[in-house]
């Protein structure tokens, strides 16, 4: 009774508590209870208790379902049939409801039936118990509905594939005919209610969905006709639609199902007038759209073979596509797409289909019109409709579709500006943009008409926005027709001056793609673009200005090397001059000045990102510029390095600058690392250690003594700083710092082991890196695990044979052995807690490598550490039986010197913990 009272108290928390801590504590207690063997008895008492609250009874029913799925091994085989009887007795008690309890008990019985070969015929047992009395028939129908769903869908039930095939066949296939007969008997039974008829349809759909009811056999029963007749009933409509759609879907093997298809299709076509009769009822139209679309998709081959016979289905789908409710329209899109994939490959297409896709194109463009009241998802849905326009292009050919959209605009413009709404112009423009990816780049007929039309379009911001995006979409065509570049630059330039921010942004995108795809033709326009930046460009929003710089960078990348370098220097000089000016200014720069510098650095970053590199041999224009640029940045960081945003901007430019100059950056590498080390020590900003790590990565193989000293200085200063940060913050508070710090360590252990292992900072670094194993962030965890794998699997301690090791290997090995002697227990605690906790799924292989190395080198220490480590692993993630098995497996593997078997122990622990966590996520 104490267990029941504790259970009721825990459940009561959910109805009265508001604080998360109380709810989490109660939830954890309930999940632990569900795992316990005592839960079987306690839940049975609750279900049979007349005084227990409904919430407790529902929890008891849910617990039975959960325990049947996961914990049936807790019940002796001799008592499992008794458990069946207990569940059936409970189901009899709750025959009148609540339905939620009935459903959970039916699921529990279904899961039990799948695992009990000794239960010969579960369907017959339940039919005998509930199928004779009209009052209990709904309970039987509920069981028969969930049985196929549970058998085919609950993959967590622990049975083998062979056992599953045998039991699924026994439960479903062997009973399909009897179930069909039972449903047929009930559907016409005297006094049957609409509620039971709905249940019958739901049950029939479940068996159809499981592939257990043959459509041909179904067609021979009254259920077939009644499904179509039930569409006239408001109460039965939705469930009848579900059955009809599933029945059609199950006839997709056309040749095997032609007789029943010949019965289905006339009935489907006969529904077409209902699209007019029920036009004012969107829910009815949605149901008809589902039926017609399913028939069209399933029978599309027959549509092509017997077009005139089946074409009314296409017409009906077209009517559904034209319906004004945009929640209904997309139901038809998969049909149009799949049919277009077939028609588009044919040398000739029936005029009926041509007309259907022409009508569809007009319908879609009409749907593209902006409504007076903008729906929440309308903008994103326009792009979905744009994909359907591409389907039209596939069938009708792109030039035909583009010309149709063009004619819509010219027809509207011909009526005069007073009688034309902007929507009439914008929608066909959007359609042209959507179809832009399908155009023939050699086209000289339709696309020139569109280009010539654009300057005459109304100056409405939505129209200008759409026109600019057309320009950005057609730039590959423009590359082959460069005579249009001059006009487009003028149109784009005017777009930057528009007061609407979206128009200006579209102009930036158009310029970016024009410069990217037509860069060879735009070299001569570079002075114009430079002038534009110094005049109109100063008025642009930063997002738009950045796109202009990106566009210019694409043009520079197409220039001859020497000229490109000179051009980059010109644009970079303007930005670096601003940086230098604010650096040498007496006192700090104003907010506006610093924002301007920050924007300039962002623009320079995007240019360097696009241009990337000039190769190993720098052009003459670049000679000496690396040192000059670093002098500017060094002074800037010295003065403004305490500003997080400015530091981020500056270091990102330095990153691309080092890549641009390549080996030519070596003379300043030591200075860069030193500055970054000091800046990180002073501020703790991760950007500084990030860029220092990039320089180490680029020059880590260099033997320059000053550079190696800088590596050591970086290593020791950054480690001391991270350790000091961890004394006042949790690892979760500084994930970005740990991510960049660990990456530096990974780089050092690979390229500078003489620094990494020999430094007195190694033990500190090892401890600091361990804390990163608690940060729930995939990149950090993968990097940290890679670091420890590189340390503990280093050749200096894992190498075998009698060959003489490199001279520093004994020093490295001594350092690793020393740190593991002190930190091994704690490290393995972190490792195994992460494995059974929050490590990413794909990390298990790295954990295996690490653990195998530990077992190989520290075998006796590992066996002495493991019991205490496993003891502190949470049982919620690693049950005691799992821990015991893991310890036994590892001990056996080590004692037998079969270290490869450690892998299977780790993977077994990982699988068991994953199942335990999954259960806790879905158990309540």
């Amino acid at each position: 009774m104490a267990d029941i009272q504790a259970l009721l108290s825990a459940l009561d928390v959910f109805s009265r508590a508001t604080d998360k801590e109380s709810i989490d504590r109660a939830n954890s207690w309930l999940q632990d209870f569900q795992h316990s063997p005592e839960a079987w008895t306690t839940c049975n008492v609750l279900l049979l208790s007349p005084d227990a609250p409904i919430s407790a009874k529902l929890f008891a029913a849910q617990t039975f379902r959960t325990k049947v799925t996961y914990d049936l091994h807790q019940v002796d085989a001799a008592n499992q049939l008794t458990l069946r009887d207990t569940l059936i007795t409970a189901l009899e008690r709750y025959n009148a409801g609540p339905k939620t309890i009935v459903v959970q008990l039916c699921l529990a019985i279904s899961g039990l039936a799948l695992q009990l070969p000794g239960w010969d015929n579960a369907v017959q047992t339940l039919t005998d118990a509930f199928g004779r009395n009209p009052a209990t028939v709904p309970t039987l129908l509920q069981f028969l509905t969930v049985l196929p769903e549970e058998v085919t869908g609950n993959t967590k039930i622990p049975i083998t594939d062979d056992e599953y095939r045998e039991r699924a066949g026994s439960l479903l296939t062997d009973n399909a005919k009897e179930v069909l007969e039972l449903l047929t008997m009930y559907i016409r039974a005297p006094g049957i209610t609409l509620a039971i008829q709905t249940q019958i349809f739901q049950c029939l759909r479940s068996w159809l969905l499981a592939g257990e009811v043959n459509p041909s056999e179904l067609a021979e029963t009254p259920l077939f006709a009644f499904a179509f007749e039930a569409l006239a009933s408001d109460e039965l409509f939705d469930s009848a639609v579900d059955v009809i759609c599933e029945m059609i879907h199950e006839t997709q093997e056309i040749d095997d199902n032609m007789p029943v298809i010949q019965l289905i299709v006339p009935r489907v076509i006969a529904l077409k007038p209902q699209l007019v009769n029920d036009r004012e009822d969107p829910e009815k139209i949605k149901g008809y759209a589902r039926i017609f679309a399913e028939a069209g998709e399933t029978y599309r081959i027959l549509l092509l073979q017997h077009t005139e016979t089946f074409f009314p289905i296409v017409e009906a789908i077209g009517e559904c596509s034209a319906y004004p409710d945009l929640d209904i329209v997309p139901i038809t899109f998969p049909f149009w797409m799949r049919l277009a994939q077939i028609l588009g490959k044919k040398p000739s297409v029936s005029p009926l289909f041509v007309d259907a896709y022409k009508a569809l194109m007009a319908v879609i463009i009409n749907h593209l019109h902006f409504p007076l009241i903008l729906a929440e998802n309308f903008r994103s849905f326009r792009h979905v409709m744009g994909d359907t326009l591409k389907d039209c292009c596939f069938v009708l050919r792109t030039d035909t579709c583009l010309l149709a959209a063009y004619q819509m605009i010219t027809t509207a413009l011909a009526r005069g500006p007073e009688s034309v709404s902007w929507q009439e112009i914008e929608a066909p423009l959007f359609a042209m943009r959507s179809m832009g990816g399908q155009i023939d780049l050699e086209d000289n007929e339709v696309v020139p008409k569109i280009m010539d039309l654009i300057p005459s379009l109304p100056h409405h911001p939505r129209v200008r926005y759409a026109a600019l995006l057309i320009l950005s979409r057609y730039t590959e065509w423009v590359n082959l027709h460069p005579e249009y570049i001059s006009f487009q630059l003028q149109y784009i330039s005017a777009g930057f001056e528009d007061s609407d921010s979206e128009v200006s942004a579209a102009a930036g995108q158009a310029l970016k793609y024009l410069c990217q795809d037509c860069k060879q033709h735009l070299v001569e326009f570079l002075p114009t673009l430079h002038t534009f930046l110094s005049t109109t460009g100063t008025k642009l929003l930063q997002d738009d200005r950045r796109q202009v710089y990106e566009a210019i960078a694409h043009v520079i990348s197409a220039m001859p090397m020497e000229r490109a370098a000179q051009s980059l220097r010109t644009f970079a000089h303007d930005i670096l001059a601003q940086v230098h000016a604010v650096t040498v200014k007496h006192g700090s720069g104003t907010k506006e000045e610093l924002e301007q510098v920050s924007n300039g650095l962002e623009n320079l970053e995007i240019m360097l990102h696009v241009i990337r590199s000039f190769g190993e041999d720098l052009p003459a224009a670049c000679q000496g510029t690396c040192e000059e640029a670093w002098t500017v940045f060094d002074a800037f960081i010295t003065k403004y390095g305490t500003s997080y945003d400015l530091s981020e901007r500056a270091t990102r430019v330095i990153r691309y600058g080092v890549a641009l100059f390549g080996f030519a950056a070596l003379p300043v590498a030591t200075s860069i690392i030193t500055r970054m080390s000091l800046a990180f020590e002073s501020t703790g900003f991760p950007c500084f250690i990030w860029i220092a790590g990039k320089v180490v990565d680029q020059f880590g193989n260099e033997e320059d003594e000053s550079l190696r000293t800088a590596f050591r200085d970086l290593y020791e200063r950054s480690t001391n700083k991270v350790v000091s940060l961890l004394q006042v913050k949790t690892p979760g508070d500084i994930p970005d710092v740990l991510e960049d710090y660990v990456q530096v360590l990974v780089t050092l252990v690979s390229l500078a082991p003489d620094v990494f292992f020999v430094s007195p900072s190694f033990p500190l670094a090892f401890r600091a890196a361990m804390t990163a194993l608690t940060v729930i962030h995939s990149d950090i965890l993968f990097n940290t695990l890679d670091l420890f794998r590189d340390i503990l699997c280093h050749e200096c301690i894992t190498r075998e044979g009698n060959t003489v090791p490199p001279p520093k290997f004994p020093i490295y090995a001594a350092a690793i052995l020393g740190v593991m002697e002190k930190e091994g227990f704690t490290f393995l605690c972190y490792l195994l807690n992460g494995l059974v906790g929050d490590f990413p799924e794909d990390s298990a292989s790295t954990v295996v490598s690490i653990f195998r190395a530990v077992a190989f080198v520290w075998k006796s220490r590992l066996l002495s550490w493991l019991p205490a480590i496993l003891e502190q692993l949470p049982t919620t993630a690693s049950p005691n039986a799992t821990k015991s098995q893991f310890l036994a497996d590892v001990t056996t593997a080590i004692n037998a010197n079969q270290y490869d078997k450690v892998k299977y122990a780790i993977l077994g622990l990982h699988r068991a913990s994953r199942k335990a966590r999954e259960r806790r996520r879905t158990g309540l």
Side-chain angles (χ1 to χ4, degrees), residues 743-814:
Q743 184 57 55
V744 167
L745 298 185
V746 170
T747 304
L748 286 171
V749 75
S750 172
L751 298 177
D754 56 320
V755 172
F756 183 77
F757 291 117
V758 174
S759 169
S761 289
F762 175 53
L764 288 175
F766 194 96
R767 283 199 294 273
M770 283 195 297
T771 67
L773 294 173
T774 65
V775 180
I776 305 174
H777 187 291
S778 293
D779 289 345
I780 297 175
L781 289 170
F782 277 124
N783 245 8
T784 307
L785 288 170
D786 286 345
L787 170 66
F788 285 115
R789 182 192 58 200
D790 292 346
I791 294 171
L792 300 175
C793 298
H794 196 278
E795 192 182 359
C796 70
I797 57 171
T798 59
R799 68 195 306 274
E800 299 181 64
N802 298 319
T803 57
V804 177
K808 292 185 179 180
F809 269 25
I811 301 174
Y812 302 166

Side-chain angles (χ1 to χ4, degrees), residues 496-731:
F496 280 118
E497 297 176 3
D498 197 288
S499 59
D500 189 296
S501 61
E502 288 192 347
V503 174
S504 183
Q509 183 172 325
L511 182 60
K512 178 178 73 174
Y513 285 113
L514 184 68
C515 291
Q516 181 176 314
D517 292 331
C518 309
K519 49 193 174 187
Q520 293 89 348
H521 302 298
L522 280 160
V523 170
E524 62 185 274
F525 292 95
L526 198 59
T528 304
L529 292 171
H530 187 257
T531 301
F532 172 82
L533 274 176
S534 60
T535 53
T536 305
T538 58
K539 306 171 189 175
L540 299 180
L541 295 174
Q542 170 56 15
D543 286 346
D544 301 330
R545 192 184 302 114
R546 185 186 63 249
Q547 292 208 78
V548 175
Y549 273 98
E550 183 177 357
I552 290 169
H554 284 295
V555 177
I556 291 175
S557 70
M559 300 171 74
M561 193 75 72
E562 189 62 48
R563 190 176 171 192
Q566 187 61 56
S567 298
L568 174 61
R569 180 172 182 141
T570 299
F571 285 94
H573 183 271
D574 294 345
I575 296 170
L576 292 180
Q578 294 176 334
V579 175
H580 178 68
V582 80
T583 302
V584 299
K585 178 182 178 181
H586 183 68
S588 183
T590 65
K591 180 180 178 182
E592 292 73 18
E593 288 173 333
L594 294 180
E595 182 179 3
Q596 187 177 19
V597 166
S598 177
N599 292 339
L601 290 172
E602 183 182 17
N603 298 332
L604 181 54
E605 175 196 344
I606 194 66
M607 292 190 78
L608 296 176
H609 172 72
V610 171
I611 296 170
R612 296 287 181 180
S613 171
F614 290 124
E616 293 185 8
D617 298 324
L618 285 180
C622 290
Q623 299 298 328
T625 55
C626 181
E627 289 85 348
E628 295 170 7
W630 169 241
T631 300
V632 173
F633 279 105
D634 191 20
F636 180 73
I637 291 173
T638 301
K639 184 171 184 177
Y640 293 105
T642 54
S643 166
Y644 183 87
D645 291 336
L646 291 175
S647 299
E648 279 282 331
R649 286 282 174 232
T651 51
R652 292 179 71 87
V653 175
I654 293 169
R655 168 72 183 97
Y656 285 115
V658 170
L660 177 81
F661 288 108
F663 191 76
L666 180 58
V668 299
T670 299
S671 178
I672 293 175
I673 293 175
T674 301
R675 174 58 58 205
M676 299 304 146
S677 300
L678 292 170
F680 179 68
E681 185 179 53
S682 172
T683 65
F685 294 163
C687 59
F688 293 124
I689 194 171
W690 169 72
I691 193 62
K694 294 297 183 183
V695 177
V696 173
D697 188 48
Q698 185 155 330
F699 299 110
N701 289 318
E702 298 298 323
E703 295 297 331
D704 182 85
E705 187 59 36
S706 65
L707 193 58
R708 310 303 283 189
T709 301
F711 291 171
R712 185 175 297 105
D713 187 58
L714 165 67
Y715 181 30
E716 294 174 357
R717 287 181 186 275
S718 62
T719 297
N720 289 334
K721 182 63 178 181
V722 170
V723 169
S724 69
L725 288 173
L726 288 170
Q727 290 173 350
V728 294
K729 297 183 178 182
T730 67

Side-chain angles (χ1 to χ4, degrees), residues 433-455:
R433 172 190 166 197
S434 297
M435 296 184 285
Q438 317 300 313
I439 64 170
D440 176 6
L441 299 184
E442 304 287 344
D443 176 73
N444 290 310
E445 299 295 331
V446 180
V447 179
K449 292 179 183 292
I450 296 171
M451 293 299 163
D452 293 340
L453 176 67
I454 286 176

Side-chain angles (χ1 to χ4, degrees), residues 163 299 372 706:
E163 290 171 337
Y299 305 141
L372 295 177
S706 65

